[in-house]
Amino acid sequence: MIPGKYRSVSGRAANNVNCGLHLVIQTSSLPEKNKVEFKLNKDTSSFPGRLLQHDLERNYSSRQGDHINLVSSSLSSFPILQRSSEEKILYSDRLSLERQKLTVCPIINGEDHLRLLNFQHNFITRIQNISNLQKLISLDLYDNQIEEISGLSTLRCLRVLLLGKNRIKKISNLENLKSLDVLDLHGNQITKIENINHLCELRVLNLARNFLSHVDNLNGLDSLTELNLRHNQITFVRDVDNLPCLQHLFLSFNNISSFDSVSCLADSSSLSDITFDGNPIAQESWYKHTVLQNMMQLRQLDMKRITEEERRMASVLAKKEEEKKRESHKQSLLKEKKRLTINNVARQWDLQQQRVANIATNEDRKDSDSAQDPCQIDGSTLSAFPEETGPLDSGLNNALQGLSVIDTYLVEVDGDTLSLYGSGALESLDRNWSVQTAGMITTVSFTFIEFDEIVHVLPKLKIKFPNSLHLKFKETNLVMLQQFNALAQLRRVDQLTIDPQGNPVVNFTLWKYYVLFRLSHFSMQKINGTEVTQNDMIMAERLFGILAHVASSELPQYRLISILGDARKKQFRYLLESKGKKPGIINEENNDSKRLVGENTNRATLNYTTRDFYNEKLEEIKEKKKFCKTYIEDLVKEATEINMKNEALQKLWPQMFIELVRDAVIEIRNKNSYMKLCLQQITDQK
């Protein structure tokens, strides 16, 4: 029987066994004197001790002077082996032909009971002439020159096959060896594991020192307990978790650089001993803890027993790693939700811009009073826009099913940057921001928001985030230079970034100079990431200084004062009052202050009125015009009626006057009667 344990498949036995044989090459016609004799050395090595331990524990005594008889033959190209009856009885189940300089396998007749056959350290290139040894259970062809596995189809009882240190390039022709228990193929030229899935009784497989780059195709090896893959070029491992009995796995000296490439090992419940030494992964600081926390069933790592302290530390690190994974998963969910929300906001923005363009086109074609279908402008229809679904990670797919992707805005604080997506995000400025968070914000980014809507919240921005120095605008419909005037109401702006996407104003050649001129009181440092130089400021003043002067000088004082703020009104009044004073009264410092006030006042006249505010003012003006028109019409009508009455009076007055005089004369003609009548009227009135 084959021993119950195989500790290794690469060791060589230390005991010396001489099988006491005669190797004879002969024909029936050769005389006895033509026989050539060779003496066997009694130090001939036996079969591998670790594989054939229970057979080798038997004490075989070596005999001096055993002979091999070789007889030259012209009828056969193979040597023929013959042993004496005594030798067959003494060594009936084993035969060792190692170190005999054999180039072919000899013909072995009359050895039907042979169980162990050793051809170590020869020059054999092909396995042949052993098909008649059907009871053979161990075949050792270590250190030969075999290039192909063949000639074994009849050895159905074979349990141990040792083909290490040969020239084999492919695993093949093992279909009938279903009882194979040990297969040693180390030191060959094999590049792929294949054609062994039927070896369901195989317990030991040695593929060390080959040319393997990956490990897979191990399904079906249900009895495999030891797998040796040392000294290959392996970068990843698969299918090992499908080996239910695997206990020992040796992966030393390969090219494994990450645990992900061998993650299937974590799913193996039987693995107790593994080696990774000599791999890039073994040089990492996290190597040992990662292996232990993913493979808690291990007893040995790199041939060293694992202590309880190491397990405890690995368990602690495993909990920390799990927390990191949960946090990473949470961040991934938030990141994906952010992406979906931004995509939704972007679609709504594009749809809104398209509708605005359509409305403008329709207004060009129709009268300005033509009614628009309210459903074409109603923003509630945006939610019916088909939702885009990009490729998602399988681990996030289920979790993302519960996320809302119909959000119309997004507010994000990342470090010192506040990012606002969608017009609904502007409402966040009304929140009760903590002093620490608000003070930390130095950059505010606006995306997919109409600039006219941003203008309304600029005063809030100045109050809520006093340290904000950098403004970014992307897809905000900045279309004309006048819109930059609205930024003057902020407290301070050091940097301004206008993304060309969705902001046509950047196509104007002089837009940067206009910004520098209009916002010169901010002493801006960068525009779109470019440093502002003194030459830029001079050029801006030359280009737009006259424009500001003309704008301020042509406006009436009442109009100018209505445009300016309260502080500017005081400065402007001070400027007007100081014009009548003599030059000596105002010192040089006041002159400089007055000059600066004048410059700021000139720039302040370059104001911007948003479209909504303009429409409101336009409606207000229309109402006032209507009221004035009605009032004037009423006045004209009333004046016309008065004039008509006057003309009628002028025509009727002469006749009326005559009648009045006549009635008076008639009444006072009888004085007594007239007095009684008057007294009677007075009495009646009381």
Side-chain angles (χ1 to χ4, degrees), residues 318-374:
K319 292 180 180 178
K320 293 182 178 180
E321 188 66 25
E322 186 64 25
E323 291 177 359
K324 289 182 179 179
K325 287 183 179 179
R326 284 198 296 267
E327 183 63 23
S328 176
H329 182 70
K330 179 180 177 181
Q331 294 299 323
S332 298
L333 287 176
L334 293 176
K335 183 178 180 180
E336 186 60 23
K337 183 176 181 180
K338 172 186 173 182
R339 185 186 70 83
L340 293 174
T341 302
I342 292 176
N343 287 344
N344 192 39
V345 174
R347 285 194 299 275
Q348 293 196 32
W349 171 263
D350 292 338
L351 188 58
Q352 179 183 354
Q353 299 307 307
Q354 183 178 358
R355 286 172 176 169
V356 170
N358 291 338
I359 292 173
T361 303
N362 292 335
E363 287 179 349
D364 292 339
R365 295 177 181 177
K366 301 178 181 180
D367 296 332
S368 59
D369 296 333
S370 61
Q372 294 290 333
D373 186 359

Side-chain angles (χ1 to χ4, degrees), residues 245-447:
C245 298
L246 185 65
Q247 298 178 10
H248 310 283
L249 176 61
F250 306 106
L251 290 166
S252 305
F253 300 100
N254 280 282
N255 294 329
I256 299 171
S257 58
S258 68
F259 189 80
D260 291 338
S261 60
V262 293
S263 58
C264 64
L265 301 179
D267 299 326
S268 175
S269 58
S270 60
L271 198 59
S272 61
D273 183 10
I274 193 169
T275 63
F276 284 111
D277 54 302
N279 284 275
I281 189 177
Q283 307 299 322
E284 302 290 344
S285 58
W286 45 262
Y287 154 67
K288 191 169 187 178
H289 296 304
T290 301
V291 172
L292 292 183
Q293 75 185 28
N294 286 278
M295 305 174 67
M296 300 299 292
Q297 77 280 10
L298 284 184
R299 296 181 180 178
Q300 285 194 157
L301 177 61
D302 295 335
M303 307 305 292
K304 296 179 182 179
R305 183 168 294 278
I306 300 170
T307 64
E308 291 300 322
E309 178 64 18
E310 290 173 335
R311 292 185 187 277
R312 188 186 67 81
M313 290 297 299
S315 178
V316 172
L317 292 175
K319 292 180 180 178
K320 293 182 178 180
E321 188 66 25
E322 186 64 25
E323 291 177 359
K324 289 182 179 179
K325 287 183 179 179
R326 284 198 296 267
E327 183 63 23
S328 176
H329 182 70
K330 179 180 177 181
Q331 294 299 323
S332 298
L333 287 176
L334 293 176
K335 183 178 180 180
E336 186 60 23
K337 183 176 181 180
K338 172 186 173 182
R339 185 186 70 83
L340 293 174
T341 302
I342 292 176
N343 287 344
N344 192 39
V345 174
R347 285 194 299 275
Q348 293 196 32
W349 171 263
D350 292 338
L351 188 58
Q352 179 183 354
Q353 299 307 307
Q354 183 178 358
R355 286 172 176 169
V356 170
N358 291 338
I359 292 173
T361 303
N362 292 335
E363 287 179 349
D364 292 339
R365 295 177 181 177
K366 301 178 181 180
D367 296 332
S368 59
D369 296 333
S370 61
Q372 294 290 333
D373 186 359
C375 65
Q376 295 179 352
I377 309 175
D378 186 5
S380 62
T381 59
L382 295 176
S383 60
F385 197 90
E387 185 62 33
E388 176 183 339
T389 55
L392 304 178
D393 184 80
S394 58
L396 297 177
N397 192 26
N398 294 332
L400 286 173
Q401 290 179 357
L403 290 180
S404 172
V405 293
I406 60 173
D407 293 337
T408 57
Y409 67 91
L410 175 67
V411 180
E412 181 186 27
V413 177
D414 185 10
D416 61 351
T417 301
L418 172 64
S419 299
L420 305 176
Y421 299 86
S423 59
L426 298 177
E427 298 177 2
S428 65
L429 299 180
D430 294 327
R431 296 178 184 174
N432 293 325
W433 294 83
S434 66
V435 177
Q436 181 179 0
T437 302
M440 184 176 58
I441 300 299
T442 60
T443 302
V444 182
S445 175
F446 301 94
T447 308

Side-chain angles (χ1 to χ4, degrees), residues 664 667-679:
E667 287 178 356
I668 65 174
R669 184 169 43 184
N670 189 349
K671 185 177 182 181
N672 293 330
S673 299
Y674 177 73
M675 292 178 62
K676 288 180 180 181
L677 180 62
C678 290
L679 290 173

